[in-house]
């Protein structure tokens, strides 16, 4: 049911933890399943993501997608991180079962929420970034049309 990559990131998740005095922190939940994700970003003066950590109270697919998402944004610029969508994360994991697609939204939304926090703290605008939601259920109608 799950790809080897999903199983690998689930059993051995990368970048788990917290960053003290992070440049941006984002927390997003899914009220339907009760899962919660928090992402911490450390961003340097050039706008490069030097470090990223995550914590999740969530299912295996949420752990695996968050782990992969943190790997994909690490070392990237803020603008490049905007391209790390839940679709990109799922592709990097060789797919997810359809019922687990919504779990991958937690990682994307938590990254966006952390970027939003960073932008607000630094008084900058990140192109294409929209105000984050607290609960991804608000977005689920959008994905049901895509998948
Ligand atoms: Fe809630 Fe996967 S079941 S995030």
């Amino acid at each position: 049911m799950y790809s080897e990559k999903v199983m690998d990131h689930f059993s051995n998740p990368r970048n788990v933890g917290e960053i003290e005095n992070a440049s941006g922190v984002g927390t997003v939940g899914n009220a339907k399943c009760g899962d919660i994700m928090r992402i911490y970003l450390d961003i340097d003066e050039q706008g490069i993501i030097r470090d990223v950590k995550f914590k999740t109270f969530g299912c295996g697919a949420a752990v695996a997608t968050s782990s992969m998402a943190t790997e994909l944004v690490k070392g990237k610029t803020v603008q490049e991180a905007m391209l790390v969508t839940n679709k990109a994360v799922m592709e990097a994991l060789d797919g997810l079962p359809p019922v687990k697609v919504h779990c991958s939204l937690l990682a994307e939304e938590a990254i966006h929420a952390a970027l939003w926090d960073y932008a607000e703290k630094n008084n900058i605008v990140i192109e294409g970034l929209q105000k984050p939601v607290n609960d991804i259920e608000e977005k689920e109608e959008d994905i049901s049309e895509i998948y």
Side-chain angles (χ1 to χ4, degrees):
M1 177 172 168
Y2 289 114
S3 73
E4 270 179 34
K5 282 189 188 166
V6 172
M7 291 311 290
D8 175 30
H9 279 262
F10 168 60
S11 339
N12 180 23
R14 282 57 150 187
N15 307 308
V16 173
E18 288 178 31
I19 296 175
E20 245 181 81
N21 302 319
S23 317
V25 181
T27 308
V28 179
N30 181 341
K32 214 186 255 171
C33 60
D35 292 350
I36 298 170
M37 161 87 48
R38 179 168 294 163
I39 296 256
Y40 301 80
L41 296 174
D42 177 20
I43 301 172
D44 70 13
E45 300 76 38
Q46 274 79 44
I48 294 173
I49 300 171
R50 264 192 306 224
D51 199 11
V52 47
K53 295 268 190 257
F54 82 95
K55 272 186 155 182
T56 188
F57 184 78
C59 72
V63 172
T65 49
S66 307
S67 168
M68 180 55 93
T70 57
E71 286 286 271
L72 291 176
V73 300
K74 208 178 203 173
K76 301 272 168 62
T77 65
V78 162
Q79 276 306 327
E80 286 166 341
M82 289 293 295
L83 302 175
V84 178
T85 59
N86 74 309
K87 228 176 156 188
V89 173
M90 282 195 299
E91 274 167 22
L93 285 169
D94 296 336
L96 276 177
V99 292
K100 287 288 171 184
V101 167
H102 73 276
C103 313
S104 64
L105 267 184
L106 271 184
E108 178 187 323
E109 284 305 313
I111 288 172
H112 286 179
L115 287 172
W116 184 270
D117 183 39
Y118 161 74
E120 277 202 324
K121 280 182 183 153
N122 291 278
N123 219 0
I124 55 171
V125 173
I126 298 174
E127 214 186 306
L129 183 62
Q130 288 171 1
K131 197 169 181 355
V133 294
N134 291 323
D135 175 1
I136 59 156
E137 260 199 272
E138 295 168 35
K139 289 230 161 172
E140 287 201 10
E141 280 162 29
D142 304 346
I143 56 164
S144 59
E145 284 163 22
I146 305 170
Y147 298 99

